[in-house]
Amino acid sequence: MPSAAESHPPLRVALLGCGVVGTQVARLLTEQADDLASRVGAPLELVGIAVRDASAPRDAAVDRSLLTEDAAGLVERADIVVEVMGGTEPARSLLLRAIEAGAAVVTANKALLAEDGPTLYKAADAAGVDIYFEAAVAGAIPIVRPVRESLAGDRVRRVLGIVNGTTNYVLDQMATTGRGLDEAVREAQDLGYAEADPTADVEGYDAAAKAAILASLAFHTRVSLDDVAREGILAVTADDVAWAAQTGHVIKLLAIAERRDGGATGEAGVSVRVHPALVPTSHPLANVRGSFNAVFVEAESAGELMFYGRGAGGAPTASAVLGDVVSAARHRVLGGKGPQESTYAELPILPPSAAVTRYQVRLDVEDRPGVLAQVAHALAEHGVSIEAVRQPTARGAADVAEPGVAELLITTHAAPESALSATVAAVAELEPVRTITSVLRVEGA
Ligand code: HSE
């Protein structure tokens, strides 16, 4: 008897984009063709690769006879369309066209999904086709499927992610070498981690898109890029990094999505944000080094889970893309369909001011009796409780204390962001306070 793979006609795969990831997808589809056919139950036939310039030089792994500049025509003759071109347009129009033509789609396009995912999900639902996007969040790390499927029987409370490898590399370099931010970013560019224009990474846009996707899946609530409070790493100094180490922390750019049930410390709803944060060195995320990514999930029944691996790069991202291609292809062979967007919970999205967090504030004050009491009073007036106050004898890495000036390091207990930021503003106005040197949030404690 012929196997299913022998009896089922080939499934036509169209690839949109042939950059670092697309090249690896094309290579793996060819090199692993036999294994993929056995796993799917039908051969996967790469029928075309849409590129902007078909005459440009390409990696030897790419069969040049498959290159085409007619992306719209290509999507019409495919069973599965893989989009790894990035950017909002023409990716959105091409994927919609593919869906309307009855193709399943696989995309790695986090920006498009965070901005306009619902348009694609709705179209895929109406057409009865699959839409998969494992590679859009944290590259090779299986995180979309675990949150969407494996944890579908649980209640996720919180997702804390290091989902941008460039900024993790930069912050890690600052911590290990004492370098400043600019120098570490230049080094990341030289090594090919950071783009020539690193804005999307260092200003947190890339992480915010991934946070929106993860939050939507985790909380069955539609979360878009505009719902994510975002702060990048540009304000992090070598001194902040040195102080973090002295207090048993590392600084990480975190994507945080949490469900709050309301109560004494805040409103009920979903809080989604991206910002640099002090993470205790004892937390598993503190050991995520270099350009690696990790996502830490806290769920009611499962407890704490951590997913770790490469968040970018051609082959790692292609691995996630191929996994989705196999899932979509299996449905073509065996019938059935992957999960749809689930937004039944419709939890309110909390404003940034309602996020509950802890602050570590570093400030220079006049070194005389009663100053600490004044500062403590300002915190108390705003209902912010102090966890620890340090008056270090030695300053941070960058400078030396002026005579008569003391540095204070105040760590608060958890409080709403609105109260914490109002407190810092009030403290800055106090007569003996010279400067607020740094304000960092503390997470994962
Ligand atoms: N630029 C991203 C990073 C990878 O540095 O992690 C793609 O999202």
Side-chain angles (χ1 to χ4, degrees):
M1 214 170 98
S3 70
E6 283 160 357
S7 59
H8 198 283
L11 292 166
R12 298 160 300 166
V13 179
L15 185 56
L16 307 180
C18 195
V20 177
V21 178
T23 300
Q24 294 306 315
V25 172
R27 178 179 68 80
L28 293 171
L29 278 170
T30 310
E31 283 180 14
Q32 301 182 2
D34 291 346
D35 280 339
L36 291 170
S38 300
R39 291 171 197 175
V40 166
L44 298 178
E45 185 192 346
L46 183 57
V47 291
I49 307 173
V51 290
R52 256 201 308 261
D53 178 3
S55 63
R58 302 279 160 193
D59 188 281
V62 175
D63 176 352
R64 298 195 67 91
S65 70
L66 294 175
L67 297 176
T68 173
E69 292 176 13
D70 178 18
L74 176 62
V75 302
E76 306 273 350
R77 53 189 172 89
D79 299 301
I80 299 169
V81 172
V82 177
E83 186 267 312
V84 286
M85 63 206 301
T88 310
E89 281 298 342
R92 173 178 28 212
S93 306
L94 289 168
L95 288 179
L96 287 172
R97 194 165 179 152
I99 290 167
E100 278 158 25
V105 297
V106 172
T107 175
N109 197 329
K110 67 227 103 192
L112 173 58
L113 292 175
E115 242 178 80
D116 203 14
T119 303
L120 294 170
Y121 306 142
K122 221 166 121 192
D125 188 26
V129 298
D130 282 335
I131 175 162
Y132 281 111
F133 48 89
E134 183 62 71
V137 183
I141 304 175
I143 185 65
V144 169
R145 203 172 259 100
V147 173
R148 184 162 67 172
E149 297 173 42
S150 316
L151 290 169
D154 207 330
R155 291 186 88 207
V156 176
R157 287 214 154 276
R158 195 145 89 121
V159 180
L160 283 181
I162 295 173
V163 291
N164 182 269
T166 303
T167 47
N168 202 52
Y169 178 84
V170 167
L171 293 171
D172 192 33
Q173 279 298 105
M174 289 172 76
T176 49
T177 66
R179 287 189 187 123
L181 182 102
D182 292 346
E183 208 184 331
V185 169
R186 271 197 302 278
E187 193 188 328
Q189 286 170 322
D190 291 345
L191 289 168
Y193 293 132
E195 309 273 342
D197 175 5
T199 310
D201 293 321
V202 296
E203 293 195 3
Y205 290 102
D206 177 77
K210 294 164 180 169
I213 296 169
L214 282 176
S216 304
L217 295 169
F219 304 122
H220 303 273
T221 290
R222 193 164 284 170
V223 179
S224 75
L225 191 56
D226 292 341
D227 297 320
V228 183
R230 178 191 51 79
E231 237 175 71
I233 63 166
L234 291 175
V236 178
T237 64
D239 223 18
D240 291 334
V241 172
W243 268 117
Q246 290 198 29
T247 59
H249 295 90
V250 287
I251 299 179
K252 297 289 188 191
L253 182 70
L254 293 186
I256 303 166
E258 59 190 348
R259 196 183 71 227
R260 304 209 60 85
D261 293 331
T265 48
E267 301 165 42
V270 171
S271 164
V272 193
R273 53 196 202 270
V274 166
H275 55 68
L278 293 159
V279 176
T281 48
S282 55
H283 193 280
L285 286 174
N287 290 313
V288 178
R289 308 287 307 274
S291 64
F292 275 82
N293 282 197
V295 184
F296 189 80
V297 180
E298 297 168 23
E300 264 178 28
S301 303
E304 295 177 346
L305 305 161
M306 173 125 139
F307 302 82
Y308 171 87
R310 292 211 174 272
T317 309
S319 162
V321 168
L322 262 288
D324 282 351
V325 169
V326 167
S327 294
R330 282 176 175 157
H331 288 144
R332 290 282 150 147
V333 173
L334 299 168
K337 200 172 113 27
Q340 289 160 216
E341 187 197 22
S342 164
T343 56
Y344 77 90
E346 291 179 357
L347 298 173
I349 310 291
L350 298 173
S353 57
V356 175
T357 183
R358 296 163 61 215
Y359 270 17
Q360 191 179 91
V361 184
R362 203 149 49 86
L363 63 163
D364 285 350
V365 297
E366 287 172 22
D367 195 6
R368 58 178 163 78
V371 171
L372 183 56
Q374 278 189 60
V375 173
H377 182 69
L379 271 84
E381 271 192 324
H382 289 86
V384 173
S385 174
I386 296 174
E387 187 210 85
V389 179
R390 293 178 185 81
Q391 184 172 337
T393 44
R395 303 266 308 205
D399 46 12
V400 173
E402 257 178 74
V405 174
E407 182 160 52
L408 293 181
L409 193 67
I410 300 175
T411 310
T412 74
H413 281 296
E417 179 79 33
S418 51
L420 291 165
S421 55
T423 305
V424 173
V427 168
E429 291 301 312
L430 295 175
E431 190 267 329
V433 173
R434 293 280 184 88
T435 338
I436 306 272
T437 328
S438 148
V439 178
L440 282 164
R441 296 173 186 89
V442 185
E443 297 286 343

